[in-house]
Amino acid sequence: MLTETALSAAERVAIDTVPRGLFIGGRWRETERSLPVVDPATGHLLCEVADAGPEDGSAALDAADAAQAEWARTPPRERSDLLMRVHRALLDDVDRLGLIATLEMGKPLAEARGEIAYAAEFFRWFAEEAVRLDGGYMPAPTGGGRFLVTRQPVGPSLLITPWNFPMAMGARKIAPALAAGCTCVVKPAEQTPLSMLALAEVMAAAGLPAGVVNVVTTADPAAVMTPLILDDRSRKLSFTGSTAVGKQLLAQCAQTVMRTSMELGGNAPLLVFEDADLDEAVEGALAAKMRNIGQACTAANRILVQRSVAGDFSRRLADRMAALPVGRGTEPNVVVGPLIDADAVTKVRGLVDDARARGAEVLTGGAPLDGPGNFYPATVLVDVPDDAEMCHTEIFGPVAAIGVFDTEEEAVTRANDTPYGLVSYVFTENLRRGLRVCEALETGMVGLNQGVVSNPAAPFGGVKESGLGREGGLTGIDEFLETKYIGVRL
């Protein structure tokens, strides 16, 4: 039995404000089973929430299906106004919501508050897009008729969100779905359900109609979600998570030819050329590596530095990483919080040990911290060979793996030598080289002289085994719309 974690008065109040039930049809619904939510900084229990079974998932889809027609008929301006109210409510409540995210996920408070602001921006962006859904009109090329093109909501959507950005990833899916006129069933990660339950409450207070958004928390996602995926009333699946699970879900979606968006795993290369501004490159690498304690699909996984500047860059990055304070995310000035669970620590430790056994050298960090919680310090490895396991799998932790290259062609070849293609980073002061390399890299996104690419106004997504479709930007709402052609005879 889990020991309950000791919380400050403010922390206890924040946790106690979160509803613990399932949100189905505009009402909070209890279950016989419960799902523990654990503080990754202590390994102790924060609280318990409802643990849905297949019957609860079915009820959630029933509610979404029943609400679909009316929500699709709702004027775009009304949908937009609702999203704007949610945007303002999130910003007004950033301290409480940020604290909830820190307690259940571990990230430092400053980052958690930043995530809430990031989530809010998705609601604002798609509030603006909701009133700009266009179509087309043209004469038939052969004469005698007209072509009308309109776009309509795809229908009830299943949204599966990850644990690492528990508020923002939900917002990135829910906001465009609602803007397009789709209802949805949301299944948050079992490790971090509180942020999504809090978001459901915020949306309900903002005037969300019953059944438009339904939230089911469960310890058995396959049992709950598989029947919904195979139900022909579900017309869209948006998933953020591992490539392995994404492939399984794609196979299930093929049964009903369901529309899918897949934001899957990454293996991001970060290339530093000899003509780069090294101060800028170090700051960019720090941002690309350490966002969310390295637990991000966009994290720089393979840092490749041109040989002539590799030593200087590595020393500078190691000095910066070694100075990052480690601790519970609620503590002042902490930058490196805990990893999500003990398995994550075991994975990172194994990857570091494997790299060292293959010849890599540790400049700082390199071993888990003693004591309670899932803490691993910021770590820098140099001379990491291409056959190290961490070069072929997401590290998902605060470990910077540095290798060396000699030529531009070698850098591009090694960067592309992966089945993944989510994001890459390039640091160079040579504009021609920058454009050449960015165009040659096989990723859906590239950061040129910057270590953060995520922005609600930009299309987020990858190629190859990193996924399908895009979230955010001008194309994000298209994932929830069907194009209909109407031929008119004159």
Side-chain angles (χ1 to χ4, degrees):
M1 184 174 181
L2 287 170
T3 303
E4 189 166 324
T5 195
L7 299 177
S8 70
E11 292 166 1
R12 175 49 60 192
V13 167
I15 293 297
D16 287 346
T17 61
V18 181
R20 309 292 172 83
L22 311 176
F23 187 64
I24 297 176
R27 297 179 180 273
W28 294 100
R29 174 173 174 155
E30 300 302 321
T31 61
E32 293 182 0
R33 300 171 302 277
S34 63
L35 172 67
V37 183
V38 176
D39 180 353
T42 64
H44 294 164
L45 182 71
L46 283 172
C47 65
E48 295 183 345
V49 300
D51 182 8
E55 68 284 358
D56 301 304
S58 178
L61 182 57
D62 289 345
D65 183 56
Q68 176 58 52
E70 182 63 28
W71 182 243
R73 287 193 296 266
T74 302
R77 177 60 67 191
E78 291 185 21
R79 300 200 297 264
S80 174
D81 289 345
L82 169 65
L83 295 177
M84 282 302 300
R85 290 194 296 273
V86 175
H87 162 74
R88 289 191 293 269
L90 291 176
L91 294 182
D92 289 344
D93 206 8
V94 67
D95 289 338
R96 179 182 72 97
L97 296 172
L99 181 55
I100 292 167
T102 290
L103 291 172
E104 69 172 343
M105 187 265 151
K107 68 183 68 182
L109 268 175
E111 280 201 58
R113 292 179 182 128
E115 180 185 342
I116 305 308
Y118 179 47
E121 193 62 22
F122 282 107
F123 283 97
R124 177 162 72 166
W125 175 263
F126 285 108
E128 295 164 342
E129 291 300 291
V131 295
R132 291 175 174 80
L133 301 180
D134 56 6
Y137 175 90
M138 64 176 287
T142 56
R146 298 293 182 268
F147 295 167
L148 302 181
V149 178
T150 186
R151 295 196 291 169
Q152 297 177 324
V154 66
S157 301
L158 309 178
L159 313 179
I160 302 177
T161 63
W163 53 260
N164 54 346
F165 292 92
M167 178 71 77
M169 295 304 93
R172 194 160 74 183
K173 298 177 188 299
I174 293 169
L178 299 191
C182 297
T183 60
C184 54
V185 176
V186 187
K187 201 290 292 179
E190 50 265 42
Q191 298 97 324
T192 57
L194 300 180
S195 291
M196 184 53 59
L197 295 173
L199 178 57
E201 186 178 45
V202 167
M203 290 188 291
L208 180 77
V212 172
V213 176
N214 306 274
V215 179
V216 290
T217 54
T218 179
D220 192 354
V224 173
M225 297 306 293
T226 298
L228 305 191
I229 292 171
L230 299 178
D231 192 311
D232 60 11
R233 294 176 298 171
S234 301
R235 296 314 310 148
K236 166 75 181 184
L237 172 67
S238 178
F239 170 75
T240 298
S242 72
T243 296
V245 173
K247 289 179 178 180
Q248 295 174 14
L249 295 176
L250 282 169
Q252 293 175 358
C253 290
Q255 313 260 342
T256 59
V257 196
M258 189 191 301
R259 286 273 297 273
T260 61
S261 298
M262 295 280 161
E263 198 270 279
L264 307 177
N267 187 11
L270 185 148
L271 308 182
V272 180
F273 288 91
E274 59 188 0
D275 59 3
D277 179 324
L278 282 194
D279 289 334
E280 186 174 68
V282 168
E283 291 303 315
L286 197 66
K289 178 70 261 182
M290 293 304 296
R291 186 185 183 201
N292 213 46
I293 325 165
Q295 297 175 120
C297 55
T298 54
N301 214 58
R302 297 168 294 147
I303 301 176
L304 301 175
V305 188
Q306 201 152 19
R307 189 175 302 276
S308 61
V309 296
D312 191 7
F313 173 88
S314 300
R315 286 189 296 272
R316 293 194 200 187
L317 182 61
D319 288 345
R320 291 296 309 278
M321 297 270 278
L324 299 178
V326 181
R328 193 165 184 254
T330 54
E331 297 171 3
N333 304 316
V334 162
V335 176
V336 185
L339 299 184
I340 188 64
D341 55 29
D343 288 344
V345 176
T346 299
K347 175 187 175 182
V348 171
R349 178 173 54 198
L351 292 174
V352 170
D353 290 347
D354 170 78
R356 294 178 71 176
R358 296 174 189 271
E361 178 188 352
V362 177
L363 295 188
T364 187
L369 299 183
D370 294 330
N374 308 312
F375 291 99
Y376 200 100
T379 296
V380 176
L381 302 177
V382 295
D383 298 326
V384 177
D386 286 349
D387 64 351
E389 189 178 354
M390 65 172 55
C391 292
H392 302 279
T393 188
E394 283 187 297
I395 300 170
F396 244 60
V399 177
I402 301 176
V404 175
F405 69 88
D406 290 301
T407 67
E408 178 182 317
E409 292 75 15
E410 178 194 353
V412 171
T413 298
R414 289 170 62 186
N416 287 339
D417 186 20
T418 174
Y420 302 100
L422 184 61
V423 63
S424 50
Y425 305 92
V426 178
F427 289 86
T428 177
E429 292 296 286
N430 185 313
L431 177 61
R432 291 180 178 179
R433 168 180 280 162
L435 292 177
R436 266 197 321 268
V437 172
C438 286
E439 291 181 2
L441 289 170
E442 297 170 354
T443 56
M445 302 174 288
V446 183
L448 179 57
N449 292 324
Q450 64 180 42
V452 176
V453 297
S454 301
N455 190 300
F460 186 103
V463 299
K464 300 196 286 188
E465 292 191 17
S466 284
L468 304 166
R470 294 295 181 268
E471 294 182 315
L474 296 174
T475 58
I477 200 168
D478 295 342
E479 301 290 339
F480 294 91
L481 292 167
E482 296 282 16
T483 297
K484 177 179 284 187
Y485 150 64
I486 302 172
V488 180
R489 180 180 179 184
L490 296 183

